Amino acid sequence: MSDSKAGERKLLFLVDGAKGHTGSFLVRELLTTYQDCRIIATDLPDTSREEVMTKEKVFRTDIGSSHEFLKDPRVEFIPSDLTKPETLNSILENRIFDVIFHPASLYDYFAELKLLRKINVEGTENLLKLIVKTQDLDRLRFIHWSTCGVYGEPKYKKDTKGYPIPANENSPYNPSNDYSISKMEQELVVKEYYEEHGVKITIIRPAPIYGPEDTYGGLHIMQTLTKTGFSILAHIYPKKKRLALPLIHVKDLVRAAIFLAERDEAIGEVYNVIADVFEQDEVLEYIYRLLGVKYYNIPIWWPLYKLFTKILFAIAAWKQNQAKKQGIRPKFDLPMVGYLKQNFRFSNEKLKALGFKFLYPGYERGIKEVFDWYIEHRWVERETVKWDS
Amino acid sequence: MGFIDSVLLLFILGWISSYLYKRYLRKRNKDWLFFLGAIILICFWLIDILLYIGVIDMIWLNTIPWVNIPLNVPSGQYYLWNSFLIIGIDFHLLPTAEMFSIAILILLSYPLWLKAGMKVGRILHGYYTHEEGIIWLLKSRKTPNKT
């Protein structure tokens, strides 16, 4: 898809969840990629958004993106709510979109399954129903955001030395938390609209997303390490049992979405969007060094490590139950702690085979940039006391 | 103080120093932990050395009904080797000349016990002013917001 493809008319994009982390980067990337385009950006009205997105305020209540990009003349912001089809109708009717990017979801490990289903599954179905009624399905591309979480912890095939081979897009569904269950159900709805209505869908399954402005995940790790100032770095033995840390930089994610929207081969396909595979201990050590956190390297035998993480998981589960009873969010949502005990190793070969080039295939540069951004914007605290001499 | 309770106390004081340093002292002067450690160590060494060489006499402890320091041994040394006399636990360890080198080693180990306490304090409560230590992980958030 190029600027000239539309010929007489400007390309028209719809980006939902435009005030979210991914959505906001997507709008900016589209504005950079297509000088001559129009973008309808949508998200919940601010008051509703604040009610739902409590995850963004776990550590700080004074942070958030400025959304300056919404003031670009090529962008029109129209508030909507996936759970209220009438608000979507006003966006879709009388406009023929070239691409609808659908990153909008409730991505919150603490949210109840009922709410996740209402927003992620029913909301997506509401959107697709209206798309079928109002859009030119020959023209339209629909890029749907899922998650690598739909695989859960896959059963890996092993290489000749017994090391796990990263799971590809054909791995079966095995979601391990409520959020991932809702995303799996959401995918099934999207696939149904591809098979039964011919909506030209492409499903992307991103790994956990990191990048500047991220209020969930990356900020949790950096904030936690900064606050505790201490950590133990476990190096698991035998090496073939080491855990991977799946990551994708937000800029690569939105670039991949646009890249796939431009390729007809991607219609009806599913793609893992994930940087190259890194080991958890490597990445954590890099972050510890960036943050100046004191840590001890401890080699540990896999069964002992498993036992240790089971205990940690049990403590986290107890803290979560306590928090639920008190009506507050815990500092860590349980599935986040689950990353310490599960091996998430996914392949990006299918996306690469299509010709996609990652800007951040490794982790060092991306994480350093994020760290610098957090420090510059004071999202991660540093010592501010000044002593004489 | 006896050797064992000195060691235990040094560990605890190291821990407390670390907590006080992180909580109140670092923001005033970042060398406070060193000062505090030095003061504690000097006090312990001074008292225990004076006890060992007999400058401080502990025979007066015999006024306590359950304490019975033999009169034919240096009372300060007997008190050092039998750490829990005051609470009525008496190991009846009689100091000998051969035990002198062990006493020196124990005295020299005092900084290590203090440092170990400080390390634990640092891990649990943090070191820099913005840190909260591992304890922070177990504290609940206060903001009542829930999805």
Side-chain angles (χ1 to χ4, degrees):
Chain A
M1 183 176 52
S2 65
D3 278 306
S4 59
K5 180 187 165 186
E8 69 286 353
R9 60 189 281 279
K10 289 178 181 179
L11 287 169
L12 181 60
F13 302 118
L14 172 63
V15 176
D16 60 13
K19 287 187 174 178
H21 184 227
T22 306
S24 62
F25 271 86
L26 177 60
V27 173
R28 281 174 277 186
E29 190 66 26
L30 284 168
L31 290 172
T32 312
T33 310
Y34 301 103
Q35 296 301 317
D36 200 22
C37 70
R38 282 183 58 228
I39 300 172
I40 305 297
T42 182
D43 204 317
L44 288 170
D46 284 343
T47 45
S48 321
R49 197 171 184 282
E50 271 191 24
E51 274 172 31
V52 176
M53 305 299 276
T54 58
K55 66 168 190 177
E56 293 180 346
K57 313 282 182 192
V58 170
F59 290 122
R60 301 273 298 270
T61 52
D62 57 340
I63 56 177
S65 305
S66 63
H67 304 132
E68 275 294 311
F69 58 91
L70 294 176
K71 291 178 186 159
D72 189 293
R74 292 169 290 170
V75 181
E76 184 182 352
F77 181 77
I78 306 172
S80 71
D81 184 340
L82 286 172
T83 63
K84 294 174 183 158
E86 64 280 9
T87 62
L88 297 170
N89 199 36
S90 64
I91 294 174
L92 291 164
E93 67 177 0
N94 306 323
R95 287 189 184 91
I96 297 298
F97 289 98
D98 293 283
V99 186
I100 293 178
F101 294 95
H102 178 45
S105 265
L106 178 58
Y107 168 39
D108 188 341
Y109 290 131
F110 188 62
E112 301 287 345
L113 183 57
K114 197 175 155 192
L115 181 65
L116 288 163
R117 279 191 168 128
K118 185 178 173 195
I119 296 174
N120 298 351
V121 187
E122 291 168 30
T124 298
E125 191 155 20
N126 290 338
L127 177 64
L128 284 162
K129 266 183 199 162
L130 284 168
I131 285 171
V132 170
K133 278 187 198 163
T134 60
Q135 298 299 301
D136 174 357
L137 297 184
D138 288 331
R139 176 194 291 271
L140 179 77
R141 292 291 306 275
F142 184 82
I143 309 297
H144 172 68
W145 258 248
S146 183
T147 169
C148 276
V150 297
Y151 302 120
E153 187 182 22
K155 283 187 179 140
Y156 296 102
K157 289 177 186 160
K158 305 276 169 66
D159 67 10
T160 48
K161 289 180 182 169
Y163 284 80
I165 297 169
N168 65 20
E169 288 80 354
N170 298 324
S171 299
Y173 289 127
N174 182 26
S176 58
N177 56 63
D178 289 349
Y179 167 70
S180 301
I181 290 171
S182 76
K183 294 300 282 185
M184 176 195 71
E185 291 173 359
Q186 189 188 40
E187 266 196 21
L188 293 173
V189 169
V190 173
K191 283 178 178 173
E192 185 189 313
Y193 274 79
Y194 168 65
E195 283 157 11
E196 292 183 12
H197 301 276
V199 179
K200 292 177 177 174
I201 61 125
T202 299
I203 295 173
I204 57 177
R205 291 179 179 156
I209 305 157
Y210 75 103
E213 303 172 31
D214 177 24
T215 54
Y216 196 57
L219 183 62
H220 269 75
I221 294 174
M222 292 215 184
Q223 186 71 270
T224 301
L225 292 172
T226 305
K227 279 280 185 194
T228 55
F230 170 80
S231 193
I232 287 171
L233 188 58
H235 298 282
I236 297 167
Y237 290 92
K239 276 189 172 180
K240 59 187 173 192
K241 291 290 183 189
R242 284 197 177 167
L243 305 179
L245 187 64
L247 288 174
I248 182 70
H249 193 287
V250 66
K251 283 185 189 166
D252 272 337
L253 172 58
V254 297
R255 284 177 61 250
I258 296 169
F259 173 87
L260 290 169
E262 290 171 340
R263 276 158 183 78
D264 288 344
E265 313 89 287
I267 295 168
E269 295 290 328
V270 179
Y271 293 88
N272 292 341
V273 183
I274 176 170
D276 294 338
V277 174
F278 333 118
E279 304 306 321
Q280 219 175 75
D281 51 353
E282 281 173 31
V283 183
L284 287 176
E285 185 158 25
Y286 182 72
I287 297 174
Y288 294 166
R289 285 186 179 164
L290 269 184
L291 292 170
V293 167
K294 195 159 178 61
Y295 66 96
Y296 293 106
N297 286 295
I298 296 191
I300 189 165
W301 185 44
W302 170 241
L304 271 184
Y305 178 83
K306 251 180 124 174
L307 177 71
F308 174 69
T309 50
K310 270 185 185 167
I311 295 168
L312 267 186
F313 196 75
I315 295 171
W318 165 67
K319 289 297 292 177
Q320 176 163 297
N321 287 340
Q322 247 190 351
K324 273 188 178 166
K325 279 181 199 160
Q326 292 164 9
I328 56 175
R329 286 189 72 111
K331 283 180 183 134
F332 312 97
D333 298 329
L334 212 47
M336 287 186 182
V337 185
Y339 278 93
L340 292 175
K341 67 183 184 111
Q342 289 172 307
N343 199 2
F344 298 114
R345 207 173 279 269
F346 305 113
S347 163
N348 57 13
E349 289 307 315
K350 188 174 174 185
L351 182 62
K352 278 183 175 173
L354 211 56
F356 182 73
K357 298 266 184 294
F358 286 89
L359 279 179
Y360 299 89
Y363 59 86
E364 287 102 334
R365 192 164 58 88
I367 290 179
K368 174 75 171 68
E369 280 177 20
V370 175
F371 168 76
D372 290 341
W373 191 92
Y374 281 148
I375 296 296
E376 188 191 334
H377 291 81
R378 295 169 187 262
W379 283 24
V380 166
E381 295 160 54
R382 308 306 282 167
E383 190 159 67
T384 51
V385 183
K386 297 269 182 281
W387 296 274
D388 298 332
S389 71
Chain B
M1 277 161 290
F3 284 131
I4 297 177
D5 44 15
S6 286
V7 158
L8 290 175
L9 212 55
L10 277 165
F11 180 85
I12 294 166
L13 284 174
W15 182 339
I16 294 171
S17 307
S18 211
Y19 172 75
L20 293 175
Y21 176 74
K22 194 265 135 188
R23 192 93 172 78
Y24 308 106
L25 303 176
R26 185 174 165 85
K27 55 188 114 166
R28 290 159 200 231
N29 186 329
K30 58 182 171 177
D31 296 326
W32 250 115
L33 194 60
F34 177 78
F35 298 147
L36 214 54
I39 291 165
I40 293 168
L41 263 184
I42 288 169
C43 289
F44 273 69
W45 269 333
L46 197 67
I47 293 168
D48 288 1
I49 290 169
L50 292 178
L51 279 167
Y52 206 87
I53 61 176
V55 175
I56 301 174
D57 191 1
M58 297 302 285
I59 202 72
W60 58 271
L61 278 178
N62 279 348
T63 53
I64 303 171
W66 57 84
V67 176
N68 185 19
I69 300 175
L71 298 174
N72 58 345
V73 294
S75 64
Q77 288 185 26
Y78 189 86
Y79 175 70
L80 282 169
W81 286 111
N82 298 281
S83 291
F84 304 105
L85 274 182
I86 292 177
I87 55 167
I89 300 168
D90 192 344
F91 302 117
H92 301 293
L93 272 175
L94 294 174
T96 60
E98 292 78 38
M99 289 160 80
F100 176 71
S101 51
I102 301 172
I104 295 285
L105 282 178
I106 295 173
L107 283 169
L108 287 176
S109 77
Y110 280 7
L112 301 178
W113 294 100
L114 185 69
K115 182 87 180 159
M118 284 176 174
K119 280 251 178 200
V120 169
R122 177 178 183 164
I123 290 168
L124 292 175
H125 309 289
Y127 180 79
Y128 297 104
T129 50
H130 63 279
E131 290 177 357
E132 303 277 338
I134 295 288
I135 293 275
W136 177 82
L137 293 174
L138 297 173
K139 288 182 187 164
S140 295
R141 290 178 62 247
K142 294 189 175 80
T143 322
N145 54 9
K146 183 183 173 185
T147 298

